[in-house]
Each structure stands twice: as structure tokens, then as C-alpha cells.
Amino acid sequence: MRTSLSRPRVAVLGGGVIGVATATRLALRGAQVVLVTESELADGASGRSLSWLNSFGGMRSEAYHHLRVLGIDRYRTFAARVPSSDFLRFDGGLTWAAPGEDTHRAAFEHMRRNGYDAVWLTRDEVPRWAPGVNPAAVPEEGAIFNPGEGWVDLVALVRHLAGVFTEAGGVIRAGGGAADVVVEGGRAVAVRTGAGERIDVDAVLLATGADVPRMVRPYGVRIPDATPQALLVRTKPVDTALRATLNTPRVALRPAPGGALVMDSDESAAEVIDHGDGGYEVKDSTVEQLLREATAVLAGGPRLELDSYGVGRKPIPGDGEPVLGELDQVPGLFVAFTHSGATLALIAGELLADEITTGERSPLVAAFRPGRFR
């Protein structure tokens, strides 16, 4: 970018939460922004994310933990300014391991050493801290409760941000098919929509989720990719006192707007059949088993009925850490490729927008730049 540009022209490719959050921040900073999406907003990974807001455990770098904590902080600021209680809640997270496993004890000690709020609960203490949970499902070793964690419904958040974006002068080109970056003279200078329209810009952000590694490969950029398939199941509204996010050995679940629950698990995702042509097959038995597992961890064992499910790819970089910032090989072309897109969306959008509009590199992004793989 050139800091002499008073109103830089920026194209953001991708209608997920990171793309929309960054586009919104850019527009609020005065940039001329067009948001280009292949299909509808939040139609990809953002539409099938458990969206647990957390920095649980210790298996990540210090810089990544710090960024996630900042991400949670931005959501708290958002909640204080926006009447968002329907789709953003901070009611804590409850996690337990399979009986006999001691990995959670080490994670608990690590969190406590780093000042991350965590409480070790006995089985009998669980109902007081996390109403709606079946204490009999908790192993004898106990569980970890993180009072500062929460959840967000990303579809609702994306809709809200899109409204702010358009009010700030941003333009949305949704459902236009796959767009490409135009590189001339070694620099990103435009995007070409699926309909063939060329949009000249000063900078481009690729926030296309699991497609980012493929889209930067022609420029000699290698981003290791560990993207798996994901399955998120949504129930019909259910009578339960559950407010916290639950992460258990066989199912993870949380409340959702309207009284529903959403849930996933690694086991259920592994049973999804990928036909390799963009189509997926989900067995009825997979969904039924996931619903049974959720029923077992809820107080009173409520009957859960399927409302809908989403299936597709879940972006995860090969080293597990975010990939954020400008490509060294192509000035003007920025990328955002990360797991925990929900937790990072607001802070990542803020940092990327600041870099794009000012040309100044943030030290908070230093550890996550795509150049680290060269």
C-alpha cells in the first residue's frame, strides 16, 4: 500500500466472518471497499462453526494465545456497544476428558500459570457452575470451567457486520461465482468476478477460507494446509438450562439463538463421505449418534430433534497457527487463513484493515505472516 492514498480501493474476497469483519473495518476507516463472494454471505465455514470463543489449553504459541485473548476482548467490547445478547454470550465453557486421561490436568495448570481464568470442578460442583449439564456424564476426575469463555452465532454476526459495512459505504457483490486476483507488474491490481467484471483496486484480501492455499499457489507461495471436513448439527428448540459451551470426549455443543442447540465432534466429521466433486454424504446414523451423545450430557436427558446440518471444509493451516498479512511475492495481496476464525475475526479484521490502510506492519501479526513458510 501507499500511505499517500487518502481513500485506498480494496477488494475483499470471501463472505465469511473474517472477510466481512475486515471489510467492515476497512470501510469504517474510510477505504473504498467492495466485498466479493462466490455465493451468499456466511455460506462456507462460518455457517457451520461451533464458534466457541476461547483460548483453552496450552498447545499453541504464546503469540497465538495472546491474539486469541485479544479476540475475546474485542467481542466483549462489541457486546457492550451492540444489543447482541441473542447471538453473543459469555456464559463460560465446560470441558472434560475421557475417564482416566490426565491431559486436561496439564492444560489446567498451564492456563493457571498464564493467568487464563480456569476452575477445576468436581462432579458435584458442576451443576452450580454450569446449569443444564448432567453431572453423571462428568468423569470422576472432574472438569475444567473457564468463566470468561463464550460463543457467537456467526451467521447473525455476519449479517450485523454486513449492515454496518453497507452503511459505511461498502459495496457487496454476493453470489457472483469464483473470483480471481489480477496481478500485473508483480503486484495485485484488480479482481475479476465470476461474471468477468474487472474491479481495479490498490489492495486485495483473500479471506476465502480453505481455498486460500490453492489460490496463492500460482504465485509461488506455499501455505501448508491441514483442512479437514466438518459437520455441524442444529436441533429444533429444546427446553434446557444449558448456557455454557460444552466440550466433551464425544460431543461439543452450545446453545443457539431461538432455543436450539448446535453440536459437532471429530468422530462424526470423520464419518462424512466426501465425493470429491464438492458434494458430501452424511449418514442418518451419524447424525442420530451425535444427538444421542448430546442428550447424554444434558440434565434430564431431553429428546433432541434434528433441524438441519451443515457440512464442508474447516480451514486449518498445516502448523495450526494463523496465516495473516501481505504476501512477500505479491505486494498488495493479503491473506487470512486460520482455524478459530470465530475467536479471531474481530481482532484479525482490525489488524489487517490497519495494515492495508496505513502500510504499517503490526507486531501482533509478526509471528503469523505467510513468509514464515519460505
Side-chain angles (χ1 to χ4, degrees):
M1 288 300 303
R2 300 290 186 267
T3 55
S4 60
L5 292 173
S6 59
R7 292 198 66 200
R9 302 165 301 166
V10 185
V12 176
L13 304 190
V17 67
I18 290 184
V20 176
T22 308
T24 301
R25 185 76 177 195
L26 283 162
L28 291 172
R29 287 188 63 96
Q32 302 176 66
V33 191
V34 58
L35 177 66
V36 181
T37 72
E38 182 173 355
S39 52
E40 299 304 312
L41 294 176
D43 195 46
S46 292
R48 51 179 181 270
S49 169
L50 190 71
S51 49
W52 170 32
L53 305 178
N54 77 95
S55 189
F56 180 90
M59 301 302 290
R60 61 180 62 91
S61 69
E62 182 178 346
Y64 189 16
H65 169 69
H66 182 53
L67 192 66
R68 290 172 73 113
V69 171
L70 290 177
I72 296 171
D73 169 77
R74 295 308 191 269
Y75 274 105
R76 291 192 176 278
T77 301
F78 181 92
R81 292 172 176 258
V82 178
S84 55
S85 60
D86 183 51
F87 65 84
L88 173 59
R89 300 289 299 177
F90 285 98
D91 293 307
L94 183 71
T95 307
W96 65 79
E101 291 187 8
D102 59 359
T103 54
H104 273 39
R105 179 61 72 174
F108 173 73
E109 297 297 341
H110 177 83
M111 289 185 287
R112 294 292 292 167
R113 286 194 302 271
N114 286 279
Y116 189 71
D117 199 1
V119 181
W120 191 277
L121 303 179
T122 66
R123 180 186 289 164
D124 293 338
E125 292 174 320
V126 165
R128 180 168 64 88
W129 288 81
V133 177
N134 177 14
V138 179
E140 185 177 351
E141 292 88 346
I144 301 171
F145 188 75
N146 299 99
E149 295 179 349
W151 60 266
V152 60
D153 186 272
L154 291 183
V155 175
L157 176 62
V158 166
R159 287 173 183 160
H160 172 85
L161 292 175
V164 177
F165 173 65
T166 55
E167 287 179 6
V171 176
I172 299 176
R173 304 281 180 85
D180 295 316
V181 180
V182 179
V183 175
E184 294 174 353
R187 180 179 182 84
V189 296
V191 296
R192 185 171 287 108
T193 69
E197 177 189 6
R198 175 177 169 132
I199 303 172
D200 292 316
V201 293
D202 302 301
V204 178
L205 170 66
L206 286 182
T208 50
D211 288 330
V212 169
R214 173 187 60 79
M215 294 182 73
V216 300
R217 202 172 298 134
Y219 311 117
V221 179
R222 184 185 71 88
I223 298 178
D225 186 10
T227 293
Q229 57 198 18
L231 170 68
L232 187 78
V233 169
R234 180 179 295 268
T235 73
K236 294 180 179 179
V238 58
D239 184 14
T240 175
L242 182 69
R243 295 294 177 267
T245 300
L246 298 188
N247 286 273
T248 80
R250 299 186 65 84
V251 63
L253 68 155
R254 63 156 173 86
L261 299 173
V262 294
M263 62 195 69
D264 66 11
S265 75
D266 291 340
E267 290 77 10
S268 61
E271 294 179 4
V272 172
I273 300 170
D274 182 356
H275 291 297
D277 57 358
Y280 296 89
E281 180 181 343
V282 179
K283 298 178 181 178
D284 291 344
S285 58
T286 299
V287 175
E288 292 165 0
Q289 179 62 28
L290 193 59
L291 292 172
R292 284 195 294 270
E293 297 291 352
T295 294
V297 301
L298 294 174
R303 182 172 179 268
L304 303 179
E305 297 182 72
L306 173 68
D307 179 69
S308 63
Y309 63 77
V311 61
R313 295 183 295 166
K314 177 169 65 176
I316 298 182
D319 64 358
E321 304 258 320
V323 184
L324 304 170
E326 190 174 20
L327 299 183
D328 295 331
Q329 297 90 334
V330 187
L333 181 54
F334 295 74
V335 298
F337 175 55
T338 182
H339 182 40
S340 64
T343 302
L344 295 183
L346 299 185
I347 185 63
E350 175 185 323
L351 296 174
L352 287 167
D354 288 353
E355 289 201 354
I356 292 170
T357 55
T358 69
E360 298 178 5
R361 292 193 164 196
S362 169
L364 294 171
V365 183
F368 311 117
R369 299 195 181 282
R372 72 181 187 267
F373 300 116
R374 296 185 65 179

